[in-house]
Amino acid sequence: MSTPKPQAPRPRRRGFSDRSLAWFFVGPSVLLLLAINIFPLVWNIYLSFTNYAANRPGTPVRGMGTRNYERLLSQEDVWESLQHTAHFVTWSIALQVLLGFGLAWLLSRKFRGSGLWTTLIVLPMMLSPAVVGTFWTYLFQPQIGIFNAIVGLFTGTTEFSMIANPNLAPWAIVLVDTWMWTPFIMLICLAGLNSVPRDLYEAAEIDGASSWRQFWTVTLPMVLPFLMLAVLFRGIENFKMFDMVNELTSGGPGSVTELANIYLKREAFEKWRTGYAAALAVILFVTVFGFANIYVKVWNAVKQR
Amino acid sequence: MLPPNPIKIGAAALGAALISLSPLASSEAQGEELTLCWAAWDPANALQELGKDFTAQTGIEMNYEFVPWTNFADRFLNELNSRGQLCDLLIGDSQWLGLGAEFGHYVKLNEFFEEEGIRMEEFLPAGVYNYATWPKGEPEYWALPAMGDAVGYVYRKDWFERPELQAAFEREFGSELAVPETWDELLQVAKFFQGRKIDGRERYGIALYTERGSEGITMGITNALYSWGVEYADPQNPYEMEGFFDSPEAVEALEFYKELYECCTPPGHSDAYMVANLDAYRSGQVAMQMNFFAFFPGIAKDEDVGDVSGFFVNPRQNVEASVLGGQGISVVSYSDNQEAALEYIKWFAQPEIQQRWWDLGGYSVHNSVLEAEGFEESTPFAGQFLEAMSNVRDFWQEPAYAELLQAMQRRVHDYVVADEGTAEEALDKLIEDWNFTFEMEGKK
């Protein structure tokens, strides 16, 4: 018996290797990402250490070291805008979670017309935030606004002013954001509620658990990862909020609704302190990125419980 | 070292690609079209009408880019900063002259004026000073005075003339219900009308400027500050503001404006500028409105309120003064059509065109128009316009004006509308902001 001849290695086929083919497909996306995401970010960080002003072509750009950051962190106005943002984010999300979860809970109990109600409830989130901001200025109009007419029905006032009153205006933006985005939380919670296996409830019932107990030990833990995801999305979005509030109050009266991003826009495109505004943008980015990372870690822990 | 501008490079590449594909890219179209940029308001329509004569005379087509006032500065300053070629001619705010000149956005017009025999002496001196020169008052011209304007007031003449209202006013204040000549009288009249039922409807005193986002509340409050005789800074030392812009007069003027806002404006009038005031007045909500003269031709022609409206200038308190509006027309240095643009300026400077400009509803500041026989009677507000233009004052016209303006918007809105702190604190903070700006500019 003759031993089989060892096979000669196959000649390499001409063309792309798997690796180059992968780069061929991924490359354009990577380039695009670098061009429109990474490069502007790096450029922004560079500008934040300079006195660059975009409205002064021809003016020499000087390095400022960390002076932009030092000035920003010692500015009362910056801290005020961050406080306004914190108030807005905290209250709007708290209300949206309560209302969104409540609505999802109701809609998860199938009843006649629940589909229609779901559709109607999600309508506000289909609108553009700028449009919402604009038309709510009419609803809040002290003399002809529907909102004021409703308040008047209960309180008897005829000239109640929501967005012109410095004490109420911060609540006006919370209210409008809640009106617009509660459906988003509701939809995600609804998906969570529908994904809870029925047999868990059956087992709980057999064990004699009350409805309240079932809610705390079955429903809430199962829906919590969904709810936390929704809160993450809304938290990031509201931290970046600009358009709706800009249309609704322009940051006023005075500066009581001047959120961090409205302040940033004014510094960058009205005062044209580009370097200074770039430093603020870096601070906001690091803040939201840091919070989001910590939050995601917690979220992962909750999911794995 | 200037950082390369990546946005500009990208935009230029995209622009070049689009232009190369565009059917408009033929060389034939070059120089035969001009784009004039301005705000979207009544006088812009008049200018568009006037421009038809220019096209008929020269064959140069006119395009217009009109942007609402609230976005006007954002839009066109961005255009200038990015060295955009959208505008060949720009009717920019008087405060832009400093940056237009210093950063090379505008073409200097001295030589052109000399060659074409356009003499600045033929225009109202206040117009030339405010709409054309940089540095201020120096014979260096960056614009042709195009549109004179100032802040004035409109009132419901028919209400002021009603015997029952006159009697009620006399009972309440012991004086005649008449056009206010001082700020004290303005406050009295506004208080009188506030909440008063006239023809079965509740009316309010006055629509003031209170807008936060662009320049509104500054344009309003400076009416009071100038009337109290407040100076921005030491006349001998133009960037020393302590003791001037925070003087007792400045504090009093600011407190007075706040009082007027709180007592006598319509509910929710907390973010109002030109259009909001026009709406409040036209809808019969208020007895008086503060607004630019530029709107007065439209009001005089208005079907509902035209016949019943009267006009008056900014009341005096310690001195007579009015807030400057209006603009000059400049040639944008990034334009490829500078020759045609200069042709337009030459045409626009002619006395007969200036007269037609006034007739159409624009505000010429050409002496031949203003000094013409019968000018003061030509409209119900022509006399007041002349009076206002004789004592106009403007905000800082510095290259850093946008920064200075935004600081003022914040500090005075915080005090007047949001009721934060005191007038002294607001002015102190404002001076601190302005000092910082001037220090960064190397002027202090």
Side-chain angles (χ1 to χ4, degrees):
Chain A
M1 204 172 106
S2 61
T3 50
K5 254 175 132 185
Q7 264 187 341
R10 247 193 199 166
R12 191 183 162 80
R13 245 192 279 163
R14 293 180 67 187
F16 292 116
S17 67
D18 287 352
R19 200 177 178 77
S20 5
L21 203 60
W23 272 111
F24 180 76
F25 284 119
V26 174
S29 304
V30 171
L31 282 177
L32 205 62
L33 193 69
L34 282 172
I36 64 173
N37 249 341
I38 307 300
F39 174 69
L41 180 65
V42 173
W43 188 255
N44 184 79
I45 293 170
Y46 159 70
L47 290 180
S48 73
F49 294 102
T50 69
N51 71 340
Y52 180 59
N55 68 336
R56 301 184 168 215
T59 307
V61 176
R62 277 186 289 121
M64 299 282 284
T66 54
R67 265 180 295 165
N68 282 335
Y69 289 91
E70 286 162 25
R71 183 168 154 75
L72 266 170
L73 295 174
S74 61
Q75 273 282 312
E76 204 184 312
D77 300 346
V78 176
W79 289 107
E80 271 177 21
S81 74
L82 288 170
Q83 276 172 13
H84 301 151
T85 309
H87 177 277
F88 172 67
V89 172
T90 309
W91 282 104
S92 59
I93 290 180
L95 288 172
Q96 286 166 34
V97 165
L98 275 176
L99 293 172
F101 189 84
L103 285 170
W105 176 255
L106 288 175
L107 289 169
S108 68
R109 292 152 187 272
K110 296 286 177 209
F111 57 89
R112 204 169 156 196
S114 63
L116 176 68
W117 278 108
T118 309
T119 309
L120 289 177
I121 290 169
V122 300
L123 280 180
M125 62 179 261
M126 309 287 181
L127 300 170
S128 147
V131 171
V132 170
T134 306
F135 79 65
W136 270 90
T137 57
Y138 294 102
L139 300 185
F140 281 139
Q141 216 285 332
Q143 292 154 79
I144 54 161
I146 292 172
F147 184 83
N148 290 51
I150 294 168
V151 171
L153 276 181
F154 293 102
T155 62
T157 61
T158 51
E159 285 168 6
F160 168 77
S161 182
M162 190 80 183
I163 52 176
N165 183 325
N167 297 317
L168 296 178
W171 295 103
I173 60 174
V174 168
L175 176 73
V176 176
D177 191 75
T178 302
W179 174 82
M180 186 172 183
W181 290 110
T182 293
F184 176 75
I185 304 255
M186 182 199 81
L187 276 184
I188 293 189
C189 288
L190 198 55
L193 286 167
N194 288 337
S195 71
V196 180
R198 306 311 309 168
D199 50 1
L200 288 181
Y201 290 111
E202 285 162 16
E205 265 176 33
I206 290 165
D207 289 346
S210 64
S211 302
W212 188 240
R213 181 93 184 149
Q214 285 179 33
F215 175 79
W216 281 107
T217 52
V218 178
T219 311
L220 198 59
M222 296 298 283
V223 176
L224 197 57
F226 290 87
L227 192 58
M228 285 183 73
L229 184 68
V231 167
L232 176 68
F233 288 153
R234 291 303 312 136
I236 293 173
E237 282 299 309
N238 276 11
F239 194 82
K240 298 187 303 179
M241 171 58 72
F242 175 77
D243 38 11
M244 184 273 283
V245 176
N246 195 50
E247 290 301 316
L248 186 61
T249 64
S250 291
S255 312
V256 298
T257 59
E258 193 176 65
L259 305 181
N261 276 298
I262 295 181
Y263 182 86
L264 174 62
K265 184 256 182 181
R266 287 189 168 140
E267 290 297 319
F269 301 111
E270 288 173 11
K271 294 185 179 175
W272 296 99
R273 295 171 173 171
T274 314
Y276 181 76
L280 178 57
V282 170
I283 290 174
L284 295 180
F285 172 72
V286 169
T287 309
V288 75
F289 189 73
F291 273 123
N293 265 304
I294 295 166
Y295 189 91
V296 167
K297 284 199 167 64
V298 176
W299 180 52
N300 282 329
V302 168
K303 272 198 305 181
Q304 282 159 11
R305 265 196 320 195
Chain B
M1 179 198 78
L2 262 181
N5 188 333
I7 299 168
K8 214 174 345 176
I9 293 166
L14 185 65
L18 289 175
I19 288 166
S20 67
L21 293 171
S22 160
L24 295 175
S26 67
S27 59
E28 215 177 308
Q30 292 291 320
E32 295 199 330
E33 284 188 9
L34 279 178
T35 300
L36 189 154
C37 299
W38 199 13
W41 61 335
D42 290 353
N45 302 330
L47 191 71
Q48 197 164 1
E49 188 60 31
L50 185 70
K52 289 175 186 168
D53 294 355
F54 175 71
T55 303
Q57 212 172 309
T58 61
I60 299 172
E61 285 294 327
M62 292 300 295
N63 302 312
Y64 298 91
E65 188 72 21
F66 297 147
V67 173
W69 273 112
T70 43
N71 301 105
F72 176 70
D74 271 5
R75 175 79 176 81
F76 291 127
L77 288 178
N78 263 326
E79 184 64 25
L80 292 177
N81 296 335
S82 59
R83 304 181 191 197
Q85 294 187 317
L86 169 70
C87 311
D88 301 304
L89 290 158
L90 173 63
I91 304 189
D93 252 342
S94 51
Q95 301 98 332
W96 300 4
L97 280 168
L99 61 98
E102 292 205 2
F103 302 125
H105 300 317
Y106 292 163
V107 172
K108 193 172 181 182
L109 298 172
N110 285 52
E111 250 178 56
F112 169 73
F113 284 169
E114 214 164 289
E115 279 167 18
E116 299 297 339
I118 298 170
R119 297 176 57 238
M120 286 295 105
E121 295 76 25
E122 290 174 359
F123 290 84
L124 190 74
V128 176
Y129 180 89
N130 288 300
Y131 306 141
T133 62
W134 182 262
K136 293 323 296 173
E138 297 293 321
E140 293 186 37
Y141 305 118
W142 303 89
L144 179 83
M147 167 84 190
D149 202 0
V151 176
Y153 299 77
V154 191
Y155 71 102
R156 285 294 298 257
K157 209 165 51 176
D158 56 333
W159 297 353
F160 276 56
E161 285 168 357
R162 285 194 188 181
E164 72 276 15
L165 293 176
Q166 286 183 335
F169 188 87
E170 193 148 0
R171 272 199 305 277
E172 213 169 309
F173 297 103
S175 58
E176 195 188 336
L177 174 58
V179 171
E181 288 181 1
T182 65
W183 277 77
D184 289 323
E185 289 175 10
L186 185 73
L187 180 66
Q188 255 183 13
V189 174
K191 275 184 178 166
F192 174 74
F193 281 106
Q194 184 74 7
R196 186 166 292 272
K197 287 251 188 229
I198 299 176
D199 300 333
R201 272 183 64 194
E202 193 171 2
R203 318 288 176 162
Y204 304 97
I206 184 166
L208 292 175
Y209 286 162
T210 57
E211 185 248 11
R212 168 72 172 89
S214 60
E215 57 172 21
I217 197 162
T218 301
M219 292 294 115
I221 276 178
T222 42
N223 282 287
L225 290 167
Y226 298 159
S227 287
W228 260 259
V230 175
E231 295 289 338
Y232 282 95
D234 182 352
Q236 310 305 319
N237 199 347
Y239 300 106
E240 282 306 317
M241 293 160 284
E242 284 85 356
F244 291 86
F245 209 71
D246 55 357
S247 63
E249 290 79 19
V251 171
E252 197 182 311
L254 196 51
E255 285 172 346
F256 200 96
Y257 197 86
K258 180 178 168 65
E259 187 184 349
L260 191 57
Y261 163 72
E262 284 175 348
C263 79
C264 307
T265 52
H269 205 74
S270 59
D271 194 20
Y273 200 20
M274 304 176 223
V275 176
N277 283 9
L278 279 176
D279 289 346
Y281 182 78
R282 281 183 170 142
S283 63
Q285 276 192 67
V286 290
M288 299 177 284
Q289 67 152 322
M290 166 189 274
N291 228 326
F292 284 105
F293 273 85
F295 293 105
F296 294 1
I299 293 168
K301 283 184 213 152
D302 190 279
E303 277 182 13
D304 298 322
V305 294
D307 293 338
V308 296
S309 293
F311 306 89
F312 61 95
V313 296
N314 190 36
R316 73 193 303 276
Q317 192 69 8
N318 300 331
V319 297
E320 277 165 4
S322 291
V323 169
L324 181 84
Q327 300 89 23
I329 182 167
S330 299
V331 176
V332 177
S333 59
Y334 316 116
S335 161
D336 285 337
N337 303 319
Q338 288 185 19
E339 272 187 31
L342 290 168
E343 183 75 11
Y344 183 92
I345 297 231
K346 181 181 159 191
W347 167 82
F348 187 69
Q350 298 172 89
E352 57 276 20
I353 302 298
Q354 290 286 314
Q355 181 60 51
R356 187 155 154 66
W357 174 221
W358 169 259
D359 294 341
L360 284 168
Y363 280 83
S364 168
V365 287
H366 199 282
N367 291 332
S368 67
V369 178
L370 303 178
E371 289 167 5
E373 204 178 326
F375 172 81
E376 288 196 31
E377 291 76 43
S378 62
T379 67
F381 42 81
Q384 287 83 350
F385 172 64
L386 275 187
E387 191 184 338
M389 288 305 290
S390 68
N391 54 37
V392 280
R393 291 187 56 196
D394 202 5
F395 189 70
W396 295 102
Q397 289 196 353
E398 294 283 327
Y401 109 93
E403 202 171 322
L404 300 165
L405 176 68
Q406 284 310 312
M408 181 147 179
Q409 285 287 107
R410 180 186 180 104
R411 298 308 175 196
V412 295
H413 211 272
D414 277 352
Y415 170 64
V416 172
V417 180
D419 201 20
E420 276 181 24
T422 63
E424 286 97 331
E425 285 165 1
L427 292 170
D428 288 346
K429 282 183 185 172
L430 180 56
I431 290 179
E432 201 180 302
D433 293 340
W434 284 354
N435 275 332
F436 174 75
T437 301
F438 288 127
E439 279 163 21
M440 296 300 281
E441 293 274 299
K443 292 187 170 172
K444 280 203 79 169

